[in-house]
Amino acid sequence: MRKIVAGFAASIDGYMEGPNGETDWILIDEKLDFDEYFRRFDTFFFGRKTYEKAVSMFSKPTKGITNYVFSNTLTEAAENFVLINRNVPEWVRAFRQQPGKDIALYGGANLLATFLNWQLVDEIVVSYIPVLLGAGKPMVDVLQQRVPLAFNSSRRYGNGTLVISYTVNGRNA
């Protein structure tokens, strides 16, 4: 079965964005190997807001990646994206059974919480950026219950960023 891996950057005090939606505080260490990380995936799942940012920033699709956007409000998606807006948990469960690489979830706090509530996330990878924001958008929106995590691995970078991987509910990473 394909695993769903939620990956995102967060401040040390747990925010994905500053109080005004800013992300200029996210530091990318030059030694962070994005190519190595992304070889693990052939599918990206986006929530609506993250999708809208992605569409405005990137004009070309990533080769070998299929992009899906989950939204209750969109009626169509941009070229190179597939819109999923009905029977989402059932669709995702069936999709995970298909052959392929793991799936990267880039949804933001709401999509992450929704997938966690549906017990569809297998791993969470957080890049903790060495900054305190004091306010902003939290990493996870409202959860229906606690989600126990098991430490998987960590790596510290020269700029102080700490990347930590956790398995969800003791699932195998």
Side-chain angles (χ1 to χ4, degrees), residues 5-115:
V5 180
F8 51 91
S11 64
I12 296 299
D13 51 351
Y15 296 103
M16 297 173 78
E17 296 177 356
N20 299 308
E22 67 272 16
T23 57
D24 59 334
W25 50 272
I26 297 175
L27 307 171
I28 305 296
D29 190 281
E30 61 201 33
K31 293 186 179 176
L32 193 72
D33 190 350
F34 286 106
D35 290 338
E36 176 189 341
Y37 179 73
F38 286 118
R39 276 193 284 275
R40 178 178 181 184
F41 307 106
D42 64 2
T43 304
F44 289 172
F45 284 177
F46 292 88
R48 183 189 52 83
K49 292 178 186 175
T50 306
Y51 152 80
E52 289 172 348
K53 288 179 185 177
V55 167
S56 69
M57 291 173 47
F58 306 106
S59 59
K60 294 183 180 180
T62 305
K63 186 177 180 180
I65 300 291
T66 304
N67 298 298
Y68 294 87
V69 58
F70 296 87
S71 173
N72 294 322
T73 58
L74 293 175
T75 57
E76 61 184 20
E79 185 178 356
N80 303 311
F81 282 85
V82 177
L83 175 63
I84 306 296
N85 57 8
R86 293 195 179 121
N87 304 317
V88 174
E90 295 83 8
W91 182 89
V92 171
R93 285 184 184 97
F95 183 80
R96 292 175 73 187
Q97 299 303 318
Q98 297 175 9
K101 295 181 178 181
D102 289 341
I103 301 161
L105 181 98
Y106 292 109
N110 188 29
L111 189 67
L112 176 58
T114 299
F115 272 58

Side-chain angles (χ1 to χ4, degrees), residues 123-154:
E123 185 178 344
I124 296 176
V125 179
V126 184
S127 296
Y128 286 103
I129 310 299
V131 64
L132 295 170
L133 298 177
K137 185 179 201 176
M139 284 190 284
V140 180
D141 207 349
V142 179
L143 290 172
Q144 295 171 350
Q145 60 188 8
R146 290 182 185 167
V147 177
L149 304 174
F151 176 78
N152 188 25
S153 65
S154 67

